[in-house]
Amino acid sequence: MEGQGDVVAEQSKHDLQSLLFSPDRDFLIRNNGDEVKVDNLKGKKVGLYFSASWCGPCQQFTPNLLEVYNELSPKGDFEIVFVSRDRADEAFKGYFSKMPWLAIPFSDSSTRDRLDELFKVMGIPYLVILDENGKVVTEDGVEFIRDYGVDAYPFTQERIKEIKDEEEKAKREEPLKFFLASRSRDFVILANGNKVSISELEGSTIGLYFAESSYRKCVKFTPKLVEVYEKLKAKGEKFEVVMIPFDDDEESFNQSFEKMPWLSLPYDDKSCVKLARYFDIPTIPALAIIGPDGRTLQSDVVEAIEEHGTETYPFTPEKFSELEEKDKAKRDAQTLESILVSGDLNFVIGKDGLKVPISDLAGKNILLYFSAHWCPPCRAFTPKLVETYHQIKAKDDAFELIFISSDRDQTSFEEYFSQMPWLALPFEDDRKEYLDRIFKVQGIPTLVAIGPTGRTVTTEARTVVMSHGSNAYPFTEARLKEIEAENEEMAKGWPKKVKHELHEHELELIHRPEYVCDGCEQGGAVWSFYCENCDFDLHPKCALEENKGTKGDREDDVEERTKTKEGYVCDGDVCRKA
């Protein structure tokens, strides 16, 4: 094993002369046009920075790299070489003009391409660090600098391990400082600019509020958090909020912060990014909770506070278990009125503007359709849903559908709603936010089925409609089991595998929720003769027609297999009872 490691190490060494220069060029350039010979890099650690002006993450990372470079370059033992992935010389020059380091000339595309291939650059920004001997120290330079800045120098795995060991020690001995302090700062700030020592927060429950002052969701949540904060402080609870700001400019941050009653990290503090990574914050607003002992209690309680307010305090696992029991009881007692009536908002609308009382819909099967005109998947799904709606209404009038819009303006809402035969919540209705929350709508289109008692049948009705259409009504688990049994019965007698002239590989009969047949180019669902390697589908009808008259169990008439088997019909989209 040791010998193999030596081989790998040798293979990871590079001669800077052959690495960075070409037969026609023995220099690198600065952004003022100066040429720098290779001798200037001898004895230095070198970072190869693969980046481009058109790349958003690169634009975000370059200032971090610039800060580290400016701090390290006076030492004289570190240099960066920019390897551009720009598409035009003008873009390269504009981007490079902001960089104080060296670059491979844009005209030398062969060297740039060779470096891309040599270091297997799959995405940018990408930073490879070479030591004084040309040996690759790390290809994770971007991550090291994002996480640790100049502290990561000399960017070795040993140094990163040392930093992590220091952090673990700090986390054990002074956990609050681990979260809130930096190497140059041991305080947080008030809106008036006063500093509060982190040690003064010891023993309190701390909420780390990840927010951006002008972001719509933060604007909506912040007043709710202020209300909870002030109520808990009035009760004498040892609870504090520290904002982790992600504002684009300091003026916006200051204007917003001066209206808030809590503490904050300074604007643009490096710890903001570190904390977002530590708590794995996917979106804002988010509120992570640190207990009085410095341990993390919850990674995000925004949803819980929106639902339960001060009842979430003190945010312990035991408290959240209580809330879950309460939520379960609420779900069990759910009625249509409980989810769709809020004060005077006790109606939905038709396209003629007529208000339909929620009480008129009680006792019906209801679909809630979360959608928007700007969303391509929504526009693709809506015609299928319209067809399904008409089919269900034809056989059961005790059914209705309510559109819940995520459109961006009234005009878009009205245009989209005009294509729909059902009801809707008014545009920008306050109930939408509550419905998004209780049904955990993470994306659109989403289709939620509500039963006659008002209880939730399924939040995955879109998949059911795509697979089975109106045949799935009323979308209950019992009905889906019936469909499954019907589908299994339908496939009896079908071959498990077939060969077809349209495809070189054998096709296997499998369940497929939805697909496009590569034979007739029509949509399909439930059953497909499929090739996994090629992602190739054929409707059973298309696959079996080709195999009509072949030996074995394929000799039965295709008409019987696909149209009249036990009273079923296969229409190319789904197999269902006639």
Side-chain angles (χ1 to χ4, degrees):
M1 291 297 292
E2 185 175 345
Q4 184 179 359
D6 291 339
V7 171
V8 172
E10 288 299 321
Q11 289 175 342
S12 298
K13 287 183 180 179
H14 301 279
D15 174 64
L16 291 180
Q17 180 81 35
S18 59
L19 189 70
L20 299 177
F21 299 90
S22 68
D24 301 325
R25 177 185 52 79
D26 64 351
F27 60 88
L28 299 168
I29 60 171
R30 293 198 181 278
N31 59 21
N32 61 2
D34 288 350
E35 298 178 357
V36 177
K37 299 291 187 180
V38 68
D39 287 347
N40 194 64
L41 298 178
K42 284 185 179 178
K44 292 187 178 182
K45 300 172 185 63
V46 176
L48 303 180
Y49 182 41
F50 298 82
S51 184
S53 63
W54 50 262
C55 165
C58 297
Q59 292 278 6
Q60 292 176 344
F61 175 71
T62 297
N64 295 343
L65 183 59
L66 178 62
E67 187 174 341
V68 169
Y69 179 82
N70 287 339
E71 192 163 343
L72 292 178
S73 75
K75 296 181 180 180
D77 63 350
F78 179 64
E79 189 54 78
I80 293 174
V81 178
F82 173 38
V83 185
S84 176
R85 297 286 290 269
D86 275 302
R87 296 158 182 160
D89 185 50
E90 199 63 31
F92 162 76
K93 288 178 180 176
Y95 192 33
F96 186 40
S97 68
K98 306 170 187 175
M99 301 175 180
W101 44 74
L102 304 173
I104 293 171
F106 184 77
S107 58
D108 190 357
S109 59
S110 60
T111 298
R112 293 188 289 114
D113 291 344
R114 175 168 51 81
L115 290 172
D116 278 359
E117 184 176 351
L118 177 65
F119 291 103
K120 298 180 173 60
V121 180
M122 304 302 293
I124 53 176
Y126 192 67
L127 181 63
V128 179
I129 306 292
L130 309 176
D131 70 8
E132 299 87 341
N133 301 311
K135 179 181 176 182
V136 175
V137 174
T138 183
E139 295 179 348
D140 296 325
V142 169
E143 288 75 14
F144 287 0
I145 285 175
R146 275 178 178 162
D147 289 345
Y148 305 110
V150 73
D151 289 338
Y153 184 80
F155 311 111
T156 60
Q157 295 292 342
E158 292 77 15
R159 174 55 186 154
I160 300 306
K161 183 180 184 303
E162 183 181 331
I163 292 174
K164 289 182 176 179
D165 288 344
E166 291 172 359
E167 288 183 342
E168 284 301 314
K169 181 180 178 183
K171 188 176 177 182
R172 289 192 306 270
E173 297 177 357
E174 295 182 290
L176 202 56
K177 285 190 176 182
F178 165 77
F179 287 116
L180 296 178
S182 68
R183 293 179 182 272
S184 60
R185 177 185 51 75
D186 63 354
F187 59 86
V188 290
I189 60 173
L190 290 164
N192 60 12
N194 289 345
K195 298 175 182 178
V196 176
S197 172
I198 291 171
S199 61
E200 293 183 36
L201 304 179
E202 297 285 351
S204 295
T205 298
I206 308 291
L208 302 181
Y209 183 36
F210 298 83
E212 191 269 300
S213 59
S214 61
Y215 182 52
R216 180 178 57 85
K217 291 185 177 180
C218 296
V219 170
K220 284 189 173 183
F221 177 70
T222 297
K224 180 69 175 178
L225 182 58
V226 169
E227 179 186 351
V228 168
Y229 175 83
E230 290 180 339
K231 284 182 178 179
L232 291 175
K233 296 293 279 187
K235 289 180 180 179
E237 302 289 359
K238 295 191 69 176
F239 175 61
E240 195 53 72
V241 171
V242 178
M243 192 160 74
I244 314 299
F246 284 89
D247 289 84
D248 292 331
D249 64 88
E250 191 167 9
E251 184 178 356
S252 296
F253 164 72
N254 289 334
Q255 289 177 351
S256 174
F257 184 37
E258 68 183 11
K259 302 172 187 175
M260 297 179 184
W262 46 61
L263 304 164
S264 179
L265 292 188
Y267 168 75
D268 207 23
D269 193 279
K270 294 182 181 63
S271 296
C272 295
V273 175
K274 182 191 80 171
L275 288 168
R277 288 180 182 277
Y278 180 86
F279 288 102
D280 193 22
I281 302 298
T283 186
I284 54 176
L287 185 68
I289 302 296
I290 302 171
D293 59 357
R295 298 177 183 272
T296 302
L297 287 176
Q298 307 289 340
S299 59
D300 187 15
V301 298
V302 165
E303 187 175 301
I305 284 180
E306 287 178 328
E307 184 68 20
H308 300 287
T310 56
E311 288 186 74
T312 52
Y313 188 80
F315 311 105
T316 59
E318 294 77 15
K319 171 57 72 173
F320 273 65
S321 293
E322 289 178 22
L323 295 177
E324 177 56 35
E325 288 298 316
K326 183 177 180 178
D327 288 341
K328 182 178 182 302
K330 190 173 181 180
R331 289 193 297 270
D332 290 343
Q334 178 179 294
T335 64
L336 196 63
E337 288 86 349
S338 72
I339 60 173
L340 287 180
V341 174
S342 177
D344 294 336
L345 297 173
N346 59 359
F347 59 90
V348 290
I349 59 172
K351 287 191 294 299
D352 55 3
L354 181 68
K355 294 181 179 180
V356 178
I358 299 300
S359 58
D360 287 1
L361 304 177
K364 293 186 176 184
N365 287 293
I366 303 292
L367 287 177
L368 303 178
Y369 183 36
F370 298 82
S371 183
H373 185 264
W374 54 261
C375 165
C378 296
R379 294 198 306 272
F381 176 62
T382 297
K384 172 72 173 177
L385 187 57
V386 169
E387 177 188 4
T388 300
Y389 175 83
H390 284 309
Q391 290 170 349
I392 296 173
K393 287 290 279 187
K395 62 184 178 182
D396 186 1
D397 194 52
F399 164 72
E400 195 48 80
L401 192 149
I402 302 170
F403 170 42
I404 300 165
S405 173
S406 292
D407 283 300
R408 294 164 178 160
D409 55 69
Q410 182 77 33
T411 301
S412 297
F413 164 75
E414 290 175 355
E415 180 184 348
Y416 194 31
F417 186 37
S418 69
Q419 304 167 22
M420 303 173 178
W422 43 69
L423 306 172
L425 283 189
F427 180 64
E428 290 194 331
D429 191 289
D430 289 343
R431 289 170 289 179
K432 179 190 179 301
E433 187 176 344
Y434 173 71
L435 293 169
D436 281 347
R437 185 167 69 249
I438 64 170
F439 293 117
K440 295 180 171 53
V441 177
Q442 299 298 316
I444 53 175
T446 289
L447 195 64
V448 176
I450 306 295
T453 65
R455 292 183 63 179
T456 304
V457 174
T458 178
T459 59
E460 304 293 334
R462 175 183 176 243
T463 300
V464 177
V465 168
M466 288 299 298
S467 297
H468 308 294
S470 61
N471 194 42
Y473 182 75
F475 314 109
T476 59
E477 186 175 344
R479 177 58 192 142
L480 295 182
K481 286 181 179 179
E482 289 176 1
I483 292 174
E484 183 69 21
E486 293 168 4
N487 290 333
E488 292 298 329
E489 180 67 23
M490 181 64 198
K492 282 186 178 178
W494 287 355
K496 299 300 181 185
K497 295 182 179 181
V498 299
K499 281 289 293 178
H500 196 280
E501 65 176 7
L502 292 179
H503 194 66
E504 59 181 318
H505 301 132
E506 198 169 39
L507 303 174
E508 183 178 1
L509 181 66
I510 66 167
H511 278 289
R512 292 272 280 167
E514 53 185 289
Y515 62 90
V516 174
C517 175
D518 290 290
C520 66
E521 298 184 352
Q522 298 298 308
V526 184
W527 289 112
S528 168
F529 282 95
Y530 181 62
C531 174
E532 182 178 7
N533 291 333
C534 306
D535 193 27
F536 182 92
D537 288 277
L538 284 182
H539 290 139
K541 181 177 180 180
C542 296
L544 297 177
E545 280 180 340
E546 170 63 23
N547 289 274
K548 182 177 179 179
T550 57
K551 63 181 180 178
D553 62 358
R554 301 176 190 175
E555 293 176 352
D556 295 336
D557 189 277
V558 173
E559 188 82 12
E560 288 297 317
R561 293 175 187 273
T562 61
K563 291 188 178 179
T564 61
K565 174 72 176 177
E566 296 293 332
Y568 288 83
V569 175
C570 181
D571 61 9
D573 181 64
V574 63
C575 296
R576 56 172 64 95
K577 280 187 175 181

